[in-house]
Structure formats: C-alpha cells, structure tokens
C-alpha cells in the first residue's frame, strides 16, 4: 500500500457531539483538513478546542456511550485514486486499519502503557496482533525498533516496566509501538508535552527522521506554536471545536490573521525581555491588548539589592546528598546505589525566586522533596529560618510544613477525585486548625478561590469537572491557605497549555508581589524559569553545574550543558523571505 506522493487522508466536514446530563453539545464543528504523505500537519489549540477529539474520531477511539459523529467523512486513500470512508467501517473492520495503517502516539505515555507488562512485551503484542509472526521474530523487530527510536540499552528497556524508565524513554517506547507496523499515517497527540526541552528536541528530530524513512503523513497535535514551528509543513488552528485559521507554516506563524492565533503566539514568555505581565488569549479575543510593561535593568537591580543586601538567607543548603539503593545482596547490604543528589549547596533569600533547571533524572525533584523531608537525605544540612530541618522530629516537621509548601507537577493526581474543590481547600484549613468553625473555613476558602481566579460556583465541583489550569489553581489555593513563607513549585506549569500557563505564571508573580512569597521554581523550560526567576541553578546528574543571575546565565552561559538547554528551546525564527 506504499505510493510515493499525494494525499493519504482527507477529513471532510467532520462534526462530533457529546451528551452530558441528557444534553447534546457539539465539540467539533465542520472540521476539514488533508494529510499528505511525507508531510506534517500541525493542529494547534488549547485543551478543549477539539483537536484531540477530531483526531481520535479517525481511529474510532471516541467513547460510544455518550459520543456521536453527527456529520462528515474520513477518507483513507488505499491508492492514489481509491479511498475508503473509515466512518463506514464497523469496529471489527476498523481493527484492520488501526495500528497497522494509522497509528497514534498518545499524550501521556505512563497512562498509555500497561504498568503490569514489560515495555518490550507491549511492542511485541502490537507486531504479533497485526502480522502473525513468531515470538522470536517479534522480539528481534522490537529491539530493532528500540534502536531506531534511539533508546539506550534496548535489551534493558525491553525487560523494564514503564515505571522503571524516564518520561522521555516511555515516549520513545510509545513511538516504537506506533511505528511497529510501518503505518502510512501517524497521529502524534501532544507527544512532547511535559518533556525536557532537550528530550523534546530529540523527539522532534526523531519524528522527522522516521517520517523520511517511512514516508509517513503526520498529524502533530500540540498547544505550543513554538514546537509546531519545528516540525510542521502546514498548520490548522482550532478554537472551540472549529478551525479558525489554516495554511502553510509561514503564513500562520508569521502573518496570523485570527485574534486567537495572535494570542497563542504571544503567550510564551519572551527570551529577549522580562515583562511584568504576560498577555493572554482573552486580551486578543476582546481586542484589548495592553502594551507590554517590562522590568527595567534599574528596577531589577534595585529589587535584587533589597533582597540580598545584608540579609540572612531564608533557606541554606549545605552538601546535601540523597542516595537510593539500586541493588542489594541477600543479606540486605547495598551493593549498588544511585547518588540522585550529590553534595548540593545553595541559599535562598526571602522574597526571591530561585529557578532550578535540568533534565528529567537530574535530581531536581528529588532535591525539592528532600528539602521538605518528603524524602530523607543521606547527608548534609538544610537550615530554614535558623532551624536545622534534618534534626527535627516528625511532629516538629509536621508543624513546620505550614511554612514550607509544595505545588506538584500534576494537579489531577494531587487532588482527591472524591473531594470537591472547596472541600480540598477546607480540609487543609481544618487539619491545621485554621478557622473556628465550618462556616468560617468556608468563607476563608471562598476568599482563597477568588484570589486565584476561581469562582464561588466552583466550590462544589469535583476535580474531573475542571480544566488542567483550573485544577492547578485549586492546588495553589490549597498552598495559600497556610500562608507559607517558602513555596516549592515542582514543574507546576509544564503540562499546561501555553495560554493557561501564561495565566498561572501571571498569578504566581502577582501572588509573590502581594504576599512577598519566596519561590523555588523547578522546571526544565528555561524560558518559563527566566520569566519568573531572579537566580538560576542548573542541575545535571545530581550536581549543580552552574549558578548565578538568571539574565546573565541566559545571555552568557558558561557550561556546555547550559548552552545545550538554551539551544533546545523551541524558537520561531522568521524566514528571510518574509
């Protein structure tokens, strides 16, 4: 079924609706686009725009219970002149096309991979399902695929469970699984969201290489126009279930016509200035875009002088190490260990934001948790406000947790799905004996929700009823409930749409100015970290390899690793012809 050029997939006037509480609502409206062999179509939009729904309709992966395709055709070309409408196939017939001719890489590899089966077994299953080969041949092909997607130590990854490998490695296993049967069309649904910029760059380069090798047509779904600029030939921008702008990459990125597209392009923190407030999509849709106000060099110098001059650090970390056992003898003696954090020292001053940057596996999250003693350190000292945290008892540490809080990366897993948003915040107040009674705690909760941009109507809603950005606002409100002095933000915006990310970053900055918070902001994204941070720590393999003023490190990095991180940030460079 391999022909060299031409159209491979045609979506015509696709409309999809979901029924909730007995009411049918259109979520995809009259969407049309084409996919060509050897070309990449980028579909861009925020969560809820319909981009993933329209793509899952191609593979008939939408829930049958409450979802209905109300109109349209999805034509898959089996030759240059002959096509078949995939919507006319029943589920058994669709099995012949799903995986073999049209494959999909899902957004979250951890939930897409089966946690009780080894990675190699899951890819082998895909091959044997579609091609009826013997186990030995399926194993050889799987190892070959692992080599093609540049997985280190293929034999070891083959025998590993998903939780035993990094996020970037899980995503490469998913790519290997999608490519197992050499599909004509590959749907990549947010395949680089929440990945390190260096891993993201590697995944994008890998997809381009594999596309050329297999002459695939790719549908690349993302919320980040910077990422889509690196890989797409054409772009379709979706908003509220419709395509609002469509054209070549150069037309859409460098001469956008729709206010929504312009808003998406402006949400990413700039790397050549330090704005006090990021513009958001709603500004452009309302036609009221404020002129950017940037912090001047003089303002920044004065602010930092006030933070550091003749002041004792709020937090002081000296030679902190965290070691995990990897292998033990039968007597329990540690035979092999991993130094996740290796002799790290730094200070944090009251009122500053310290950015902690590095790739997955560098130890930055382990370091953040060790500061709170959520993970016990192997050696070293952590002194907070004069208190040696390592010497405090469990009960003493518990009392201190109200002053040092953490906002985790994934707000959905941070919230109890059975407790409402209001209940989750009130629970914190009750645990720490804040408020005389339930009525007082409810009033305090509503005030906190308003402070983070949530509405009173959100009080009785459950986590699954919110968007990712709203869930993160609930987590921030829970943190604010205790009036902390130091907040550790652990990848707290990495999985959010760029537009929602801009709103949360603005919120964090506003709260810092209002309450004089001190942040340790952990991230792999230097553009985001630079927007928020005063100083940076660059971490690699458990060690701090570079530290200093955020602007100076970005403008003049000293270490090769730092230069690599900066060069991996997706950039949208305007072509000379435009």
């Amino acid at each position: 079924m391999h022909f060299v050029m031409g159209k491979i997939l045609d979506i015509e006037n696709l409309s999809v609706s979901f029924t909730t509480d007995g009411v049918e609502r259109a979520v995809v409206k009259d969407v049309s686009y084409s996919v060509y062999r050897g070309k990449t179509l980028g579909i861009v939009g925020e969560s809820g725009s319909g981009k993933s729904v329209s793509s899952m309709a191609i593979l008939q992966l939408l829930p049958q219970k409450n979802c209905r395709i109300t109109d349209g055709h999805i034509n898959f070309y089996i030759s240059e002149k002959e096509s078949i409408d995939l919507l006319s196939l029943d589920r058994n017939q669709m099995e012949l096309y799903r995986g073999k001719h049209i494959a999909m890489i899902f957004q979250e590899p951890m939930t897409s991979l089966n946690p009780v089966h080894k990675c190699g077994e899951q890819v082998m299953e895909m091959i044997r399902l579609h091609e009826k080969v013997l186990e030995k041949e399926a194993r050889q092909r799987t190892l070959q695929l692992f080599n093609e997607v540049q997985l280190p130590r293929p034999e070891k990854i083959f025998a590993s469970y998903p939780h035993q490998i990094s996020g970037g490695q899980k995503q490469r296993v998913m790519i290997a699984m999608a490519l197992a049967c050499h599909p004509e069309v590959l749907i990549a649904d947010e395949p680089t969201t929440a990945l390190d910029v260096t891993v993201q760059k590697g995944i994008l380069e890998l997809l381009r290489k594999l596309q050329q090798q297999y002459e695939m047509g790719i549908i690349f779904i993302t919320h980040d126009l910077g990422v889509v600029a690196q890989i797409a030939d054409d772009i379709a921008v979706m908003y509220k279930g419709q395509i609002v702008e469509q054209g070549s990459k150069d037309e859409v990125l460098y001469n956008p016509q729709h206010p929504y597209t312009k808003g998406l392009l402006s949400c990413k923190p700039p790397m050549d200035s330090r704005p006090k407030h990021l513009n958001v999509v709603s500004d452009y849709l309302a036609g009221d875009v404020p002129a950017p106000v940037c912090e001047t060099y003089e303002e920044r110098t004065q602010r930092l002088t006030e933070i550091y001059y003749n002041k004792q650090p709020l937090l002081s970390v000296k030679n902190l190490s965290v070691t995990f056992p990897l292998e033990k003898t039968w007597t329990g003696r540690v035979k092999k260990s991993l130094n996740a954090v290796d002799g790290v020292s730094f200070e944090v001053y009251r009122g500053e934001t310290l950015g902690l940057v590095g790739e997955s596996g560098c130890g930055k999250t382990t370091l953040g948790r060790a500061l709170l003693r959520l993970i016990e350190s192997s050696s070293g000292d952590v002194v907070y406000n004069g208190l040696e945290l390592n010497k405090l008892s469990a009960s003493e540490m518990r009392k201190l947790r109200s002053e040092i809080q953490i906002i985790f990366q994934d707000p959905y897993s941070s919230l109890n799905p059975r407790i409402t948003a209001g209940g989750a915040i009130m629970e914190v107040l009750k645990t720490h004996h804040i408020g005389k009674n339930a009525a007082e705690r409810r009033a305090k909760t509503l005030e906190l929700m308003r402070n983070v941009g949530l509405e009173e109507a959100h009080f009785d809603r459950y986590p699954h009823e919110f968007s990712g950005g709203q869930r993160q606002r609930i987590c921030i409100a829970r943190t604010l409930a205790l009036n902390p002095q130091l907040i550790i933000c652990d990848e707290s915006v990495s999985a959010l749409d760029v537009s929602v990310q801009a709103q949360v970053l603005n919120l964090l900055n506003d709260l810092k100015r209002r309450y004089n918070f001190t942040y340790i902001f952990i991230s792999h994204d230097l553009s985001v970290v630079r927007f928020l941070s005063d100083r940076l720590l660059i971490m690699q393999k458990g060690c701090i390899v570079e530290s200093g003023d955020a602007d100076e490190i970005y403008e003049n990095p000293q270490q090769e690793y730092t230069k690599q991180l900066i060069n991996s940030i997706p950039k949208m460079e305007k072509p000379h012809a435009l």
Side-chain angles (χ1 to χ4, degrees):
M1 194 181 283
H2 290 277
F3 48 94
V4 178
M5 289 298 292
K7 191 182 292 185
I8 188 70
L9 194 67
D10 216 1
I11 285 77
E12 298 177 357
N13 309 115
L14 180 67
S15 296
V16 182
S17 65
F18 278 80
T19 301
T20 53
D21 300 326
V23 179
E24 188 174 59
R25 296 178 179 85
V27 294
V28 173
K29 308 165 191 174
D30 199 29
V31 163
S32 299
Y33 59 80
S34 299
V35 182
Y36 293 85
R37 179 170 294 282
K39 299 288 186 181
T40 299
L41 172 70
I43 302 181
V44 183
E46 299 172 276
S47 295
S49 64
K51 57 188 190 298
S52 292
V53 171
S54 60
S55 297
M56 285 195 289
I58 296 171
L59 290 171
Q60 293 189 21
L61 292 175
L62 297 171
Q64 290 183 301
K65 185 177 180 181
N66 65 336
C67 179
R68 187 168 69 94
I69 297 174
T70 57
D71 195 13
H73 301 278
I74 300 175
N75 298 312
F76 176 73
Y77 286 81
I78 56 179
S79 70
E80 289 191 74
K81 296 181 180 179
E82 185 182 359
S83 67
I84 184 167
D85 187 351
L86 298 180
L87 296 182
S88 68
L89 304 179
D90 61 32
R91 296 188 78 81
N92 289 331
Q93 292 171 319
M94 191 64 209
E95 289 288 344
L96 300 175
Y97 289 87
R98 189 187 297 136
K100 184 172 177 61
H101 299 296
I102 307 174
M104 190 165 188
I105 306 168
F106 294 96
Q107 178 174 355
E108 179 45 70
M110 192 62 212
T111 55
S112 302
L113 293 170
N114 192 323
V116 300
H117 289 287
K118 294 175 182 177
C119 295
E121 293 171 354
Q122 298 187 55
V123 179
M124 281 176 59
E125 181 185 29
M126 170 69 76
I127 296 171
R128 298 192 71 189
L129 177 68
H130 286 288
E131 302 198 10
K132 312 298 182 188
V133 298
L134 295 175
E135 184 176 342
K136 183 179 179 181
E137 183 181 344
R139 178 186 173 87
Q140 289 174 341
R141 283 180 52 180
T142 298
L143 290 171
Q144 182 184 344
L145 282 164
F146 282 1
N147 271 313
E148 285 183 15
V149 299
Q150 298 167 16
L151 275 166
R153 306 179 305 279
E155 291 276 1
K156 183 174 176 59
I157 299 290
F158 185 98
S160 298
Y161 291 95
H163 72 275
Q164 295 176 309
I165 60 178
S166 72
Q169 289 172 339
K170 282 193 279 279
Q171 196 61 283
R172 288 172 188 267
V173 171
M174 284 292 299
I175 293 172
M177 190 183 299
L179 296 177
C181 299
H182 302 164
E184 283 83 10
V185 177
L186 179 65
I187 303 171
D189 187 5
E190 301 272 15
T192 60
T193 297
L195 295 180
D196 306 330
V197 286
T198 50
V199 177
Q200 174 179 267
K201 184 179 181 182
I203 294 290
L204 295 178
E205 290 173 351
L206 173 65
L207 286 175
R208 280 196 293 266
K209 175 187 171 186
L210 294 171
Q211 180 180 43
Q212 294 170 359
Q213 183 177 338
Y214 294 114
E215 296 179 335
M216 293 183 298
I218 295 179
I219 300 173
F220 193 95
I221 301 167
T222 183
H223 60 259
D224 192 335
L225 282 164
V227 170
V228 84
Q230 307 298 305
I231 195 167
D233 299 293
D234 300 293
I235 295 175
V237 181
M238 289 192 71
Y239 176 60
K240 292 187 175 179
Q242 297 177 298
I243 292 179
V244 296
E245 189 158 359
Q246 190 170 8
S248 71
K249 176 176 72 174
D250 292 347
E251 289 170 347
V252 174
L253 295 185
Y254 309 115
N255 188 26
Q257 300 300 308
H258 197 276
Y260 181 70
T261 311
K262 294 176 182 178
L264 284 180
L265 286 164
S266 299
C267 286
K268 196 78 173 171
M271 296 306 295
D272 55 356
S273 61
R274 188 180 279 271
K276 295 181 179 179
H277 192 274
L278 294 171
N279 288 335
V280 295
V281 168
S282 57
D283 296 331
Y284 286 84
L285 294 175
D288 182 22
V289 183
V293 178
C294 296
E295 185 179 46
T296 65
Y297 176 80
E298 291 75 16
E299 287 175 331
R300 186 165 188 269
T301 301
Q302 182 180 348
R303 180 171 61 80
L304 295 183
T305 300
E306 291 173 358
I307 288 175
Y308 303 133
Y309 189 68
N310 282 343
K311 287 186 179 179
Q312 291 296 317
L314 178 65
L315 183 77
S316 180
V317 180
K318 295 179 182 178
N319 300 319
L320 189 70
S321 295
V322 180
T323 303
F324 295 119
L326 294 180
E327 193 177 330
K328 293 183 178 181
T329 64
W330 65 273
T331 60
R333 184 176 64 85
V334 175
K335 188 177 178 182
K336 188 178 181 183
S337 61
L338 170 70
N339 292 328
V341 178
D342 193 1
V344 166
S345 300
F346 63 91
E347 295 175 334
V348 186
Y349 289 82
R350 191 180 299 275
E352 81 163 328
T353 299
L354 180 72
L356 182 57
V357 186
E359 297 174 284
S360 293
C362 73
K364 58 187 186 296
T365 292
T366 301
L367 173 58
R369 297 188 179 199
L371 298 179
L372 283 165
R373 283 185 58 187
L374 298 176
I375 295 173
E376 292 297 338
S377 59
S378 307
S379 61
D381 299 309
V382 179
V383 180
Y384 167 76
N385 223 4
L387 293 171
E388 295 186 44
L389 301 189
N390 303 59
K391 295 182 180 179
L392 297 182
S393 66
S395 60
E396 289 171 328
M397 192 65 208
R398 198 175 299 116
K399 292 176 184 176
L400 195 62
R401 290 200 197 284
S402 61
E403 292 188 33
I404 312 174
Q405 285 285 296
I406 187 167
I407 303 171
F408 293 102
Q409 176 175 357
D410 183 1
Y412 193 73
S413 60
S414 302
L415 296 168
N416 189 326
R418 297 183 178 181
I419 298 178
T420 63
I425 300 168
M426 283 184 68
E427 180 184 41
V428 175
L429 297 173
K430 186 177 181 181
T431 300
H432 290 270
H433 310 292
I434 299 173
K436 297 176 183 178
N437 50 46
E440 200 170 299
R441 285 191 283 271
R442 181 184 175 90
K444 175 69 174 174
T445 296
L446 291 172
E447 179 189 350
L448 288 164
M449 293 177 73
R450 286 191 293 271
N451 285 345
V452 299
L454 294 170
E455 300 171 8
E456 188 171 333
H458 293 145
F459 187 96
D460 293 314
R461 293 187 189 174
Y462 290 89
H464 72 273
E465 298 178 275
F466 292 96
S467 69
Q470 288 173 324
R471 284 195 287 266
Q472 197 60 283
R473 287 171 187 266
I474 297 167
C475 293
I476 293 172
R478 291 182 73 192
T479 299
L480 297 181
L482 299 174
N483 193 26
Q485 300 300 303
L486 174 63
I487 300 175
I488 299 172
C489 302
D490 185 10
E491 299 276 15
S492 51
V493 298
S494 63
L496 301 178
D497 298 335
V498 285
S499 54
V500 178
Q501 182 185 85
Q503 295 170 24
V504 174
L505 291 175
N506 285 337
L507 174 62
L508 290 172
N509 254 348
D510 292 343
L511 292 171
K512 178 184 173 180
R513 295 188 191 104
R514 191 186 312 172
Y515 298 109
N516 196 34
F517 285 145
T518 304
Y519 291 134
I520 296 177
F521 194 87
I522 300 171
S523 180
H524 60 260
D525 190 335
L526 260 173
S527 63
V528 169
V529 174
R530 185 180 184 235
F531 170 72
L532 278 177
S533 302
D534 303 309
R535 286 189 299 134
L536 289 184
L537 302 179
I538 309 297
M539 200 167 180
Q540 183 186 28
K541 295 180 180 178
C543 301
I544 303 297
V545 295
E546 189 164 356
S547 64
D549 180 84
D551 287 356
E552 289 180 8
I553 284 182
Y554 179 75
E555 296 296 338
N556 188 28
Q558 300 300 305
Q559 299 297 318
E560 193 60 38
Y561 178 68
T562 311
K563 294 175 184 177
Q564 182 185 348
L565 287 177
I566 293 170
N567 291 334
S568 297
I569 299 170
K571 298 175 181 68
M572 291 189 295
E573 297 175 356
K574 195 170 183 177
H576 296 298
L578 291 177

